[in-house]
Amino acid sequence: MKKTILRLTGIISLFISVSACDNGYNDVPVIDSPPSLSLGAITSGLVEGQDFKIEITIGDGRDEGTISTLSTFTYAITRAGETVSSGSEDLSGDLQTVVIEIPNGFEPGNYNLDILATDSNGNESTENLSFTVASARPEFDISGTWTMEPIAGALKVGPSRAVESGIRTLRETLRCAVVILTTPTPLI
């Protein structure tokens, strides 16, 4: 009887331990974060006609490639709701740098740069940057023929009377000094 009770206790313990085990499929939380985006400064293209250039660094979040890798990168540059430039690039790995270059840049105005990066699990990150492109030349035209017309009234250009009398006095003093220096002295 003791053997039967021991066997029965062993079988029940085995059943309890097997039913408590989930055969390796436990509920461990998996952190699959979306890609990270780091926008650099716009290095050129903020003046009309300049080549536009910006560098963007994309990382695969915190999982370090154990769960997903980078997949795609897309961008759109808009002005007043109209897309003026767009593009996409396939990505791979955990960290990548993308350079957006647009020859001859843009016309003067306000623009938005919208960026979307996805990883292999479909996680997405977006970023937006607004920028203004300045005119390369003044907004008004100064070319052409310019004329000057006289207007009623008198305008004297030059020093005031007080300055003129001071200059006259200084001139007379210097003339006297020159006369004194140039007058021959008798030799004894």
Side-chain angles (χ1 to χ4, degrees):
M1 179 90 170
K2 281 184 176 182
K3 286 185 178 185
T4 307
I5 293 177
L6 282 175
R7 282 186 186 164
L8 189 55
T9 306
I11 291 173
I12 292 173
S13 297
L14 182 62
F15 176 73
I16 290 173
S17 65
V18 168
S19 64
C21 180
D22 63 358
N23 296 325
Y25 299 109
N26 56 7
D27 294 330
V28 174
V30 176
I31 299 174
D32 184 17
S33 56
S36 62
L37 292 167
S38 175
L39 278 65
I42 297 174
T43 55
S44 69
L46 295 178
V47 175
E48 174 185 21
Q50 283 183 345
D51 294 346
F52 179 84
K53 184 176 181 180
I54 185 170
E55 188 173 285
I56 300 154
T57 304
I58 308 151
D60 186 36
R62 289 177 274 180
D63 62 28
E64 298 175 358
T66 58
I67 300 171
S68 64
T69 58
L70 296 173
S71 179
T72 58
F73 166 82
T74 58
Y75 75 91
I77 299 175
T78 58
R79 177 179 182 205
E82 298 287 325
T83 301
V84 293
S85 182
S86 63
S88 65
E89 188 172 322
D90 291 330
L91 305 174
S92 62
D94 297 328
L95 185 66
Q96 199 161 346
T97 300
V98 175
V99 177
I100 298 174
E101 291 183 280
I102 299 168
N104 302 319
F106 305 107
E107 295 178 2
N110 297 321
Y111 293 85
N112 286 312
L113 169 61
D114 296 306
I115 298 169
L116 171 69
T118 59
D119 66 14
S120 58
N121 286 343
N123 296 316
E124 296 180 345
S125 288
T126 59
E127 197 66 52
N128 176 283
L129 175 67
S130 296
F131 61 96
T132 301
V133 175
S135 177
R137 59 187 176 273
E139 292 182 11
F140 57 91
D141 184 14
I142 60 171
S143 62
T145 305
W146 287 71
T147 60
M148 293 181 62
E149 297 179 13
I151 57 171
L155 177 64
K156 182 176 180 181
V157 179
S160 68
R161 290 185 182 199
V163 173
E164 284 181 1
S165 68
I167 293 173
R168 199 173 301 123
T169 305
L170 181 61
R171 248 190 236 136
E172 289 171 6
T173 305
L174 289 174
R175 199 174 302 131
C176 291
V178 170
V179 170
I180 293 172
L181 291 176
T182 57
T183 305
T185 57
L187 292 174
I188 306 180

